[in-house]
Amino acid sequence: MADCIFCRIIAGEIPSNKVYENEYVYAFRDINPQAPVHILVIPKEHIASVGEITPENSVLAAKCMEAVAEIARQENLEGGFRVISNCGKDAGQTVPHLHFHILAGKSMGEKLL
Ligand code: AMP
Ligand code: ZN
């Protein structure tokens, strides 16, 4: 998707602070961190949000979760971390390319659930 900011990051057209990459997944530091560690994990194929996951593309969501676990080891997040994916307007999604936020490095008291 030529006009998608995260597709352009994957293509190297927009700079990013890479944390992890494999055949399926790219991960980089959030430009506006909400915790000492704030990493975004995205599939290399454009999927708009969790709401667009299908039987045909769900392997990419699974690959993102594998990457979350690998990044948690790589970044020494043994104190714990939170994974969030905002989906759509009411959840405040601002970039329409599926992404999982990894938040860590502080105690997160403001739980919704
Ligand atoms: P969301 O609001 O859940 O859709 O999350 C989008 C996230 O992307 C926000 O936390 C932004 O700070 C982050 N973001 C937007 N543009 C960039 C960029 N160029 N590099 C890194 N993070 C970005
Ligand atoms: Zn995209």
Side-chain angles (χ1 to χ4, degrees), residues 11-104:
E13 296 167 11
I14 294 174
S16 64
N17 191 344
K18 181 169 94 171
V19 172
Y20 177 85
E21 181 175 19
N22 66 27
E23 184 183 350
Y24 306 99
V25 171
Y26 189 77
F28 55 105
R29 299 201 187 272
D30 197 291
I31 204 168
N32 182 24
Q34 302 300 305
V37 177
H38 187 172
I39 295 164
L40 300 173
V41 180
I42 66 177
K44 287 189 171 177
E45 184 180 301
H46 184 89
I47 300 171
S49 73
V50 169
E52 302 297 320
I53 294 172
T54 66
E56 288 69 40
N57 66 22
S58 62
V59 66
L60 289 167
K63 292 292 180 187
C64 284
M65 289 299 108
E66 287 178 28
V68 167
E70 180 59 30
I71 291 163
R73 287 187 285 272
Q74 179 183 302
E75 297 284 312
N76 301 310
L77 305 183
E78 53 278 306
F81 57 93
R82 184 173 289 168
V83 179
I84 295 175
S85 190
N86 295 315
C87 181
K89 181 168 60 68
D90 284 357
Q93 183 180 7
T94 58
V95 179
H97 181 126
L98 176 64
H99 52 281
F100 298 95
H101 299 258
I102 303 175
L103 297 159

